[in-house]
């Protein structure tokens, strides 16, 4: 399947299929001085042989620590050093092979190395259907997630669903949250379909190629309208204000991004007066085994201090994306008391 992402500043293809890695050969042939692969350590361990069977070009590989650890200043500097030591030029390309973490780090390296070189996203998680398109790249600062970054689009996204076969079920769960977010932002029937699934085993049986294509299309439509997040793109933050606060309090990488977003979606639904839907989703997320217990030991004041740092806030007011109707997101100002009430209700629902 081929989709096209088109914004004012970039147009690029998304190849989504089992075996899509072969597409790389025509994408990179004769176009670049040198090719670098930045690969997540776990992904490389599982899939280096498969990659080598499909890739008919020379490359140098830089193996990154698995997951969120790679979105750090230390790894960022090591990556730049690797490129410099290996004489990467402005006509080099980096292939980002891994989940959203490797994609975000690699994209930011590509955005800043020699003021910008090319990169191609090779997402290997369900969640990365979201992160691999749209051009947001970045790393974390100890004081806040994704606080340092740049807009830099890839030349292409090559999503080989073969890589998903080794994905742990906890990562399927995590990626499902972003898929549900895309459904909530777009289509009530799709939400209903997704929420019919009773157990994690049912989720594993989804037609992932089709679901990922739908998710990518929702993101593409929004990014096309508002590339630089002045208006509509903020809607993609549904569930993220509270979710990022959880990640901040628990510690980046200690809870999976999508696991935090799952709870953030409940809070957004509660703030939208969508209590019934919030209840249904909370029941499902408990069935799927999303971690929830830790919330009882998490003081609301700590969450609030992260929520106050959210990039959407203005003039000291808290801005949340809410969903009065499925498919009709809005950005609204909420009070600290309203967020606390939603947090308390969430605790009651997961008890
Ligand atoms: P991740 O990249 O941290 O990967 C999760 C884990 O899965 C890691 O341990 C990794 O080693 C492992 N893994 C990855 N692919 C695998 C595979 N095929 N088989 C086995 N193991 C595999 O997590 P993620 O959920 O993909 O991405 C989360 C990150 O994405 C967060 O940092 C988040 O901020 C970012 N994000 C960015 C955007 C954006 O627009 N740029 C959007 C959403 C999320
Ligand atoms: Zn997200």
């Amino acid at each position: 399947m081929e989709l096209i992402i088109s914004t004012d500043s970039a147009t690029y293809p998304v190849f989504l299929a089992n075996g899509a890695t072969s597409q790389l050969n025509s994408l990179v042939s004769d176009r670049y001085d040198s090719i670098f692969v930045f690969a997540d350590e776990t992904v490389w361990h599982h899939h280096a042989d498969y990659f080598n069977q499909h890739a008919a070009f020379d490359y140098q590989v830089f193996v990154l620590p698995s997951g969120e650890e790679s979105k750090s200043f230390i790894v960022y500097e090591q990556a730049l050093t690797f490129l410099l030591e290996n004489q990467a030029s402005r006509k080099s390309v980096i292939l980002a092979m891994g989940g959203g973490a490797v994609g975000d780090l690699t994209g930011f390296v590509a955005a800043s190395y020699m003021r910008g070189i090319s990169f191609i996203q090779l997402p290997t998680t369900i969640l990365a259907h979201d992160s691999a398109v749209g051009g947001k790249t970045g790393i974390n600062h100890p004081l806040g997630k994704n606080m340092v970054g740049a807009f830099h689009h890839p030349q292409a996204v090559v999503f080989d669903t073969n890589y998903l076969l080794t994905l742990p079920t906890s990562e399927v769960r995590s990626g499902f949250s972003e898929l549900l977010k895309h459904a909530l932002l777009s289509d009530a029937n799709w939400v209903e379909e997704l929420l019919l699934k009773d157990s994690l085993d049912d989720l594993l049986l989804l037609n992932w190629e089709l679901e990922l294509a739908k998710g990518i299309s929702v993101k593409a439509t929004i990014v096309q309208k508002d590339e630089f997040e002045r208006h509509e793109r903020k809607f993609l933050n549904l569930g993220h204000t509270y979710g990022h606060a959880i990640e901040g309090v628990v510690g980046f990488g200690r809870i999976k991004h999508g696991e935090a977003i799952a709870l953030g979606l409940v809070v957004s639904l509660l703030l939208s007066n969508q209590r019934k839907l919030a209840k249904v989703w909370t029941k499902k997320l408990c069935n799927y085994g999303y971690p929830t217990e830790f919330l009882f030991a998490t003081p609301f004041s700590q969450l609030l201090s992260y929520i106050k740092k959210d990039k959407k806030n203005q003039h000291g007011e808290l801005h949340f994306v809410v969903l009065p109707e499925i498919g009709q997101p809005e950005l609204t100002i909420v009070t600290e008391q309203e967020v606390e009430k939603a947090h308390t209700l969430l605790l009651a629902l997961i008890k």
Side-chain angles (χ1 to χ4, degrees):
M1 192 176 317
E2 186 180 341
L3 305 160
I4 298 289
I5 310 293
S6 185
T7 69
D8 286 345
S9 64
T11 298
Y12 48 95
V14 178
F15 299 101
L16 174 64
N18 193 328
T21 304
S22 307
Q23 293 287 344
L24 282 172
N25 296 321
S26 56
L27 284 168
V28 299
S29 80
D30 301 331
R31 278 196 211 170
Y32 301 104
D33 276 357
S34 48
I35 300 167
F36 295 89
V37 175
F38 281 15
D40 177 290
E41 191 176 1
T42 306
V43 174
W44 197 240
H45 166 76
H46 286 300
H47 300 291
D49 288 347
Y50 176 88
F51 182 83
N52 287 326
Q53 280 158 20
H54 286 73
F57 47 84
D58 292 333
Y59 65 88
Q60 295 178 76
V61 65
F62 181 58
V63 178
L64 294 158
S66 293
E68 200 68 19
E69 208 189 318
S70 60
K71 283 177 67 171
S72 67
F73 281 94
I74 295 175
V75 176
Y76 172 65
E77 186 180 339
Q78 287 168 350
L80 294 174
T81 305
F82 176 83
L83 292 177
L84 286 164
E85 284 178 351
N86 289 286
Q87 283 100 37
S89 75
R90 296 189 89 171
K91 293 211 71 188
S92 299
V93 65
I94 317 177
L95 314 183
M97 184 175 174
V102 163
D104 280 7
L105 175 273
T106 306
F108 186 49
V109 170
S112 50
Y113 184 77
M114 295 189 171
R115 297 200 186 84
I117 65 170
S118 299
F119 82 115
I120 294 176
Q121 292 272 21
L122 271 65
T124 63
T125 63
I126 287 167
L127 188 136
H129 82 276
D130 183 14
S131 55
V133 299
K136 271 196 189 178
T137 72
I139 57 175
N140 301 324
H141 186 280
L143 293 181
K145 193 169 156 61
N146 297 332
M147 282 297 159
V148 182
F151 283 99
H152 190 56
H153 288 282
Q155 300 297 309
V157 179
V158 176
F159 202 144
D160 190 334
T161 50
N162 175 65
Y163 296 129
L164 297 178
L165 295 175
T166 54
L167 203 59
T169 47
S170 57
E171 297 298 340
V172 174
R173 191 158 59 207
S174 174
F176 182 75
S177 298
E178 298 280 12
L179 190 71
L180 179 65
K181 178 193 81 177
H182 286 136
L184 286 166
L185 290 172
S186 62
D187 179 353
N189 291 333
W190 185 17
V191 171
E192 203 177 314
E193 251 172 65
L194 291 179
L195 292 183
L196 279 178
K197 309 289 169 218
D198 276 329
S199 65
L200 194 59
D201 285 344
D202 290 342
L203 284 193
L204 297 175
L205 295 176
L206 279 170
N207 178 342
W208 282 104
E209 199 172 310
L210 195 75
E211 298 294 339
L212 294 172
K214 279 158 83 172
I216 291 170
S217 301
V218 173
K219 176 135 191 196
T221 306
I222 294 179
V223 169
Q224 199 156 331
K225 283 189 199 147
D226 175 25
E227 181 175 2
F228 297 112
E229 198 164 320
R230 296 200 177 94
H231 188 55
E232 286 96 333
R233 190 164 182 172
K234 291 190 177 148
F235 299 153
L236 291 170
N237 264 282
L238 183 73
H240 280 60
T241 317
Y242 186 87
H244 280 162
I246 290 179
E247 288 183 278
V249 173
V250 177
F252 302 127
R254 295 239 175 89
I255 181 168
K256 298 182 195 313
H257 177 68
E259 290 177 337
I261 299 312
L263 297 166
L265 287 174
V266 179
V267 167
S268 298
L269 290 170
L270 291 169
L271 289 169
S272 316
N273 287 322
Q274 293 264 19
R275 218 183 255 223
K276 198 172 147 212
L277 194 52
K279 224 171 150 181
V280 174
W281 170 230
T282 310
K283 189 160 181 277
K284 298 286 173 185
L285 72 85
C286 292
N287 286 352
Y288 302 159
Y290 282 82
T292 53
E293 278 302 306
F294 71 92
L295 256 192
F296 294 102
T298 309
F300 177 72
S301 57
Q302 282 187 22
L303 290 169
L304 187 62
S305 71
Y306 273 92
I307 289 170
K308 284 179 170 169
K309 281 188 248 164
D310 189 89
K311 291 192 282 270
K312 292 185 297 305
N313 295 339
Q314 283 175 15
H315 317 299
E317 291 166 329
L318 307 179
H319 287 230
F320 269 73
V321 181
V322 291
L323 202 65
E325 299 284 341
I326 293 176
Q328 307 284 327
E330 286 175 8
L331 193 63
T332 191
I333 297 168
V334 297
T335 63
E336 292 180 17
Q337 291 73 22
E338 285 169 320
V339 184
E340 183 161 18
K341 194 173 156 206
H343 166 80
T344 311
L345 265 170
L346 167 63
L347 290 181
L349 288 173
I350 58 181
K351 209 150 54 179

